Amino acid sequence: MKSPITGKEMRLVRELSNFQFRKEDFEILYHYYLCDQSKESFTNDKLDKINQIQVHNKYREKRRQGIKYS
């Protein structure tokens, strides 16, 4: 992806980050593009979806662990 600021290609970065969903914090491997010159970070629809899916999966996993079956 090209930086909207400089017009140069940006590198894809992945780092552990906390996100809040339904008043709970979840740690995910957050994906974003980083402009090396401006140090600004950007996402696109594809990366937003990847990040959102991770948060939802962590939420579902936590809910499943809390359910006790007889």
Side-chain angles (χ1 to χ4, degrees):
M1 179 175 166
K2 291 192 178 193
S3 170
I5 297 171
T6 65
K8 295 184 179 183
E9 282 296 320
M10 297 184 290
R11 63 186 167 105
L12 179 62
V13 178
R14 297 169 195 95
E15 66 180 30
L16 289 177
S17 187
N18 287 317
F19 279 83
Q20 192 173 66
F21 180 69
R22 295 194 177 175
K23 298 182 183 179
E24 296 183 54
D25 289 325
F26 298 95
E27 186 176 61
I28 65 165
L29 189 60
Y30 181 65
H31 296 69
Y32 63 94
Y33 289 104
L34 180 65
C35 177
D36 289 322
Q37 289 183 327
S38 68
K39 303 300 182 209
E40 292 288 330
S41 61
F42 301 92
T43 63
N44 57 17
D45 289 343
K46 183 178 177 182
L47 294 183
D48 288 340
K49 187 73 172 172
I50 290 169
N51 295 326
Q52 181 183 35
I53 287 169
Q54 288 185 83
V55 172
H56 289 169
N57 286 344
K58 293 274 186 165
Y59 176 81
R60 286 186 196 108
E61 182 180 320
K62 187 173 182 179
R63 293 287 140 239
R64 246 183 255 125
Q65 290 174 355
I67 298 173
K68 296 182 181 175
Y69 298 97
S70 338

